[in-house]
Amino acid sequence: MTQFFYIASVLLFAGALLLIAELLHRRGKDTKCYLRPLALALALVAFVAYLWREPAIYNVRGLNMYSPFGDEMVKTVLAVLIYWISHAAVLLAILSVFFEYKTLKHLTKLVATVSVLLDLIFINVYMTAIMGNDPFAAFNMQHLLLAAQHAITLAISGYHILRDGATLPTKKEWGAAALALPFALLCVMPCFVPQALFGFVDGSIEVFDFTEAHRFVLYGAIILPILIFHAIREKDVEVKRFLMIYFSLGWMWVYLGRWVLADFANPTSWPLHLCNTAMFLVPICLIFRMQRLFNFCLFINVMGSLIAMVMAEDLGFVNAIATERVSYWLNHYAAFFMPLLLVALKIFKRPKFREWCWAVAAFCVYFFGILFVNAWFSNYGDVDYFFLNSDFVAEKLGKWAENTRNFTVSFHIGEMTLTFYPLYQFLFFVVYVGVFTVGVRFVYEFLFRAWDNAQDRRERERSFRMMKKDLAAFLGGKHINEPISGDSSPCIELKSFCKKYGSNKHYSVQNVSFKVTGGEIFGFLGPNGAGKSTIIKSMVGIQTITEGNIEICGFDVDKQAVQAKMNLGFVPDHYALYENLTGREYINYIADLYNVDTEYRTKTIEKYVERFQLTHSFDNQMKTYSHGMKQKITIMAALVHNPKVWILDEPLTGLDPTSIHEVKECMKEHAAAGNIVFFSSHIIDVVEKICDRIAIIKGGKLRACVRVAELEEKGIDLEQFYLKTTKQEYIDHTKEIEEAAQQRAEAEAAKV
């Protein structure tokens, strides 16, 4: 087969495949039904071509030793690079058919097209790298496989180019592709590349027996997944899943390079070691979303690979970057951190106890299956899957462990002899299951809790930073202790306030707006469940605000919570006191919170103690108090710092007539001093006698907000007004009264 004929056949075959795809597209057919089988065919063809024989450049050392190009190092470098890039081209082309990501499409168009063109331009170099000298001397099946691989790769890449037409990627898309390109190439770097490009390293470097170099490589097993996690943790879960699919398939592809097809004819060469299985199981778990199979990898493969890395084999090579060493560490790295990384990235759920039990059961099946496989395959050659037939593990534990292998049992099946080491293998099983798999579960539980705590801390820190940023933007250059509006004089203002709870679609309070100024006693009325307590709790900062704003003395309740609360005194409908404290201790504790000076608090406390008749019980523990006495303590705590805004939610419940009178007097005095008294109540008579203004709410909506004096002037009884408003017999009482007030004001102005 000539080079020209090879190139022509690739281009013609690629053109034919591309033409079929284009015709299907123009006829409105779903091209996925064509491209996906084509991509799977590419995977099969590339797999067989890849493993047909060991590539000629597999054993190259330092560019000129064992190279099919002799001392022509430029050709050796070129051969290594184009062979490497061709792996990325195939993997990108396959995955670009199954995943709709722009960056993936751009990378495929770039890498796959350039790779195929380089292979064809330097066809002699490429083929020599694979087949050795004079690769076109005679036709063989590998030529056909490689031609099909090139043609299908070029056809898929060409289809993406045709679909995008003349549209070039944006600057941002080019940047994303440029960032992804090194990742895409590193994941499929053949194991022989380090030794081919750099040759030998210091022969004294030993990556086993826990030497300094060995520890350095072990640290990589911890650092590498951390870097990957932080690089992609913010991406969408499906994007993370795709990246891990590419990563695991790339490493699996590279790992397969240690075999050729002929090896699979010999059972002793099959990849049945526990760590070997992880290279194939992880991609399967990711592609088919197999949670149970993943649990096996997480509980069994991770521990097995960790032990294998710590007890690393001496492979007998002085070169620390030999192909076999790179392949060994690639295998165990992937088996160790990939399952952990998939849990950290939340691609798979954390397994619970039941899943752990299933994983242990699956391991038992694997273990006893491998016992039989080892015994059977030993008739074909030296085999030691999971180190169950050798003293590799035993010799590291001492003479006693090696002695357990002296007891053997053999069976004969026809011409086959099956040999077992019952004592050694039983102890191996018990230790692995009883210590490692049980222990790893507890280790995982500890790590999961530690991870959750760290994640929670990171989330809180992130929320705090965002909150500071939002606050700075909200304040617009003002200090946080400056009111956002006004001059910090007594004021309550609700601006389109809305509140709904959780995922409830309906608002508990909707679009409520009103303003209360200094000197007013403001009554808040409404039936049970109308939204009074919801508004009050949002005003004092107990509940969050869904929409709108609330300002207390010009301070935003949401953004300047501490400053707003310093101007508040609150009497809740259900008090909560530290009842092991005395009344005096509790009031002083509250005064300390508000930084009330000693002289003022002493006078204030004594005034209210005498007013509420608590002299003889004030120094007793509050758990001995009656309900009414506790209510009085709550009122005192709200007034000890002389707040500009005093908010009370059903404050008169449980008080005796004398105390009710005193509370009402306190309200009048507090308002007379220029402060605000805002309270909710069901006692209409009290509201009518002491309030300057009232608001009525029903069904979460403000129905009226009027002055009591204006109702009296119109001869409207407050109780009847309330009943008719809550029954919606008046359409708009507020508008009517405001118009009457405006008319009076205009008449008085005309007289003047």
Side-chain angles (χ1 to χ4, degrees):
M1 175 187 278
T2 64
Q3 299 177 32
F4 174 78
F5 181 72
Y6 181 92
I7 295 171
S9 63
V10 168
L11 296 177
L12 286 172
F13 188 29
L17 294 173
L18 190 55
L19 180 60
I20 295 171
E22 186 62 21
L23 289 173
L24 289 172
H25 176 76
R26 292 189 178 185
R27 291 183 180 182
K29 303 292 184 181
D30 185 4
T31 52
K32 288 181 181 179
C33 296
Y34 167 73
L35 289 175
R36 287 184 174 180
L38 194 63
L40 294 175
L42 173 59
L44 178 61
V45 167
F47 172 79
V48 178
Y50 182 44
L51 299 183
W52 190 261
R53 70 177 74 190
E54 185 180 272
I57 57 171
Y58 189 82
N59 294 308
V60 172
R61 298 286 193 277
L63 298 178
N64 59 359
M65 185 179 292
Y66 310 123
S67 172
F69 303 100
D71 290 332
E72 296 182 77
M73 291 192 290
V74 173
K75 283 188 177 181
T76 303
V77 171
L78 180 61
V80 170
L81 293 180
I82 61 177
Y83 182 78
W84 175 1
I85 295 171
S86 68
H87 293 342
V90 169
L91 188 54
L92 288 169
I94 294 170
L95 293 179
S96 67
V97 173
F98 293 93
F99 295 92
E100 298 290 335
Y101 296 119
K102 284 186 177 180
T103 302
L104 176 60
K105 294 286 194 301
H106 295 324
L107 272 179
T108 303
K109 290 184 290 185
L110 174 65
V111 176
T113 306
V114 170
S115 173
V116 174
L117 292 178
L118 284 174
D119 292 348
L120 297 180
I121 292 169
F122 300 101
I123 188 63
N124 195 59
V125 173
Y126 177 76
M127 286 298 186
T128 302
I130 296 174
M131 300 181 182
N133 294 319
D134 202 7
F136 290 103
F139 170 80
N140 63 54
M141 188 63 181
Q142 195 170 16
H143 287 100
L144 184 61
L145 292 168
L146 290 170
Q149 174 185 312
H150 282 130
I152 300 174
T153 303
L154 190 59
I156 292 174
S157 174
Y159 178 78
H160 294 318
I161 293 171
L162 284 178
R163 292 285 59 78
D164 290 345
T167 305
L168 292 174
T170 64
K171 187 176 180 180
K172 184 178 180 180
E173 290 171 345
W174 274 121
L179 286 173
L181 182 59
F183 171 82
L185 292 175
L186 283 172
C187 289
V188 292
M189 183 189 75
C191 292
F192 64 79
V193 169
Q195 72 172 19
L197 296 181
F198 305 108
F200 293 95
V201 295
D202 189 345
S204 64
I205 298 176
E206 297 178 343
V207 195
F208 53 89
D209 288 343
F210 224 57
T211 61
E212 184 177 347
H214 184 199
R215 293 197 304 272
F216 180 80
V217 175
L218 288 175
Y219 299 151
I222 299 172
I223 296 170
L224 184 57
I226 293 174
L227 295 176
I228 296 172
F229 171 79
H230 284 285
I232 67 174
R233 63 176 179 170
E234 299 297 335
K235 297 188 179 296
D236 179 78
V237 67
E238 282 303 308
V239 175
K240 291 187 286 191
R241 175 174 164 265
F242 160 72
L243 292 172
M244 290 298 99
I245 287 174
Y246 185 92
F247 192 58
S248 60
L249 283 176
W251 276 25
M252 183 189 76
W253 184 260
V254 172
Y255 187 64
L256 281 169
R258 65 185 294 178
W259 285 282
V260 295
L261 285 177
D263 290 337
F264 290 97
N266 180 7
T268 62
S269 300
W270 293 359
L272 295 180
H273 266 295
L274 188 62
C275 296
N276 294 162
T277 62
M279 299 299 295
F280 306 96
L281 294 182
V282 170
I284 292 171
C285 294
L286 280 164
I287 292 168
F288 299 105
R289 305 175 191 267
M290 300 176 70
Q291 178 72 44
R292 284 191 176 181
L293 184 60
F294 170 76
N295 295 338
F296 176 85
C297 297
L298 181 65
F299 283 114
I300 308 302
N301 285 124
V302 171
M303 181 54 66
S305 58
L306 177 61
I307 295 170
M309 287 193 296
V310 173
M311 301 171 63
E313 293 181 80
D314 178 4
L315 300 176
F317 298 97
V318 293
N319 191 358
I321 59 172
T323 301
E324 290 77 7
R325 286 198 189 278
V326 175
S327 177
Y328 179 89
W329 286 102
L330 170 75
N331 173 207
H332 293 93
Y333 265 30
F336 171 65
F337 74 68
M338 278 295 285
L340 297 174
L341 189 57
L342 295 177
V343 172
L345 292 170
K346 298 182 179 179
I347 296 171
F348 284 103
K349 295 179 182 178
R350 294 176 183 176
K352 298 186 177 1
F353 177 74
R354 184 177 179 182
E355 284 81 6
W356 173 78
C357 292
W358 280 108
V360 173
F363 172 73
C364 293
V365 173
Y366 168 82
F367 184 88
F368 291 107
I370 289 299
L371 281 181
F372 179 79
V373 167
N374 275 343
W376 186 277
F377 287 0
S378 292
N379 292 278
Y380 298 98
D382 187 22
V383 64
D384 185 28
Y385 293 126
F386 202 34
F387 305 113
L388 296 180
N389 270 27
S390 71
D391 60 355
F392 175 75
V393 175
E395 70 176 1
K396 298 183 185 310
L397 300 176
K399 192 68 177 175
W400 69 270
E402 293 184 63
N403 290 336
T404 62
R405 292 176 42 79
N406 295 333
F407 178 59
T408 62
V409 174
S410 297
F411 299 94
H412 297 282
I413 302 177
E415 297 181 357
M416 299 286 182
T417 301
L418 298 148
T419 302
F420 299 93
Y421 305 86
L423 182 57
Y424 168 72
Q425 290 166 345
F426 173 75
L427 291 174
F428 193 113
F429 175 78
V430 170
V431 171
Y432 198 90
V433 173
V435 176
F436 295 124
T437 60
V438 174
V440 79
R441 168 169 169 75
F442 288 102
V443 169
Y444 280 166
E445 288 299 319
F446 171 77
L447 291 175
F448 288 158
R449 282 196 293 269
W451 178 267
D452 287 340
N453 292 335
Q455 188 76 3
D456 180 62
R457 185 176 65 253
R458 285 193 294 269
E459 289 297 327
R460 284 189 277 111
E461 289 174 352
R462 182 187 302 171
S463 297
F464 180 69
R465 289 194 297 270
M466 290 298 296
M467 185 176 65
K468 285 181 66 177
K469 184 179 178 181
D470 292 343
L471 178 60
F474 176 78
L475 293 174
K478 289 186 176 181
H479 191 274
I480 193 170
N481 291 324
E482 295 181 62
I484 199 65
S485 63
D487 56 359
S488 77
S489 59
C491 178
I492 300 174
E493 186 169 7
L494 276 70
K495 301 176 180 178
S496 302
F497 169 76
C498 299
K499 174 67 181 178
K500 62 180 176 182
Y501 293 94
S503 58
N504 196 329
K505 295 180 181 179
H506 302 289
Y507 286 92
S508 299
V509 176
Q510 188 170 12
N511 202 31
V512 172
S513 299
F514 61 79
K515 185 175 183 178
V516 186
T517 55
E520 286 190 288
I521 301 178
F522 193 89
F524 201 39
L525 306 177
N528 292 330
K532 301 188 303 299
S533 292
T534 295
I535 290 176
I536 288 174
K537 287 176 181 177
S538 297
M539 288 167 61
V540 300
I542 294 175
Q543 293 182 161
T544 58
I545 298 170
T546 304
E547 295 174 21
N549 299 89
I550 299 178
E551 292 180 5
I552 302 294
C553 300
F555 294 100
D556 187 272
V557 168
D558 183 38
K559 299 293 193 300
Q560 298 170 289
V562 174
Q563 290 73 17
K565 289 174 184 177
M566 289 298 290
N567 290 283
L568 279 173
F570 177 47
V571 179
D573 54 346
H574 294 92
Y575 52 78
L577 304 172
Y578 300 124
E579 296 194 359
N580 285 329
L581 298 179
T582 66
R584 188 181 302 278
E585 289 170 340
Y586 179 73
I587 299 300
N588 275 290
Y589 165 69
I590 298 298
D592 287 339
L593 292 179
Y594 286 96
N595 300 317
V596 181
D597 65 79
T598 305
E599 183 179 353
Y600 176 81
R601 83 169 66 174
T602 302
K603 291 180 181 179
T604 303
I605 290 172
E606 292 306 318
K607 179 180 73 171
Y608 287 118
V609 166
E610 183 178 348
R611 188 165 205 165
F612 291 128
Q613 300 174 9
L614 292 171
T615 305
H616 299 294
S617 56
F618 194 53
D619 290 307
N620 297 334
Q621 286 184 314
M622 289 185 291
K623 63 185 178 183
T624 64
Y625 289 6
S626 66
H627 171 78
M629 293 168 68
K630 291 176 182 177
Q631 184 78 344
K632 294 174 186 177
I633 291 293
T634 306
I635 293 170
M636 289 175 61
L639 291 173
V640 70
H641 58 292
N642 190 29
K644 294 178 181 179
V645 177
W646 184 19
I647 299 175
L648 307 95
D649 193 0
E650 299 289 348
L652 305 180
T653 304
L655 296 180
D656 57 77
T658 303
S659 298
I660 290 175
H661 172 75
E662 293 299 338
V663 171
K664 290 193 291 184
E665 290 301 310
C666 287
M667 289 181 181
K668 293 175 183 177
E669 291 173 9
H670 200 69
N675 300 310
I676 293 173
V677 177
F678 183 103
F679 78 103
S680 69
S681 178
H682 289 299
I683 307 174
I684 301 294
D685 292 342
V686 173
V687 173
E688 188 172 22
K689 288 179 182 178
I690 68 171
C691 286
D692 299 298
R693 275 199 303 152
I694 63 160
I696 299 175
I697 187 171
K698 183 182 178 183
K701 295 182 179 179
L702 191 65
R703 304 294 181 180
C705 186
V706 298
R707 292 193 174 277
V708 175
E710 291 173 358
L711 290 176
E712 292 174 352
E713 288 178 10
K714 292 180 67 69
I716 298 174
D717 179 69
L718 178 58
E719 186 174 16
Q720 292 302 314
F721 178 79
Y722 170 78
L723 292 173
K724 290 178 180 179
T725 301
T726 54
K727 290 178 181 178
Q728 297 186 345
E729 291 181 10
Y730 285 0
I731 302 300
D732 193 350
H733 303 287
T734 305
K735 184 177 179 181
E736 178 186 348
I737 293 170
E738 287 178 350
E739 287 177 354
Q742 187 176 358
Q743 290 173 3
R744 285 195 302 273
E746 289 174 355
E748 290 176 2
K751 290 178 182 179
V752 174

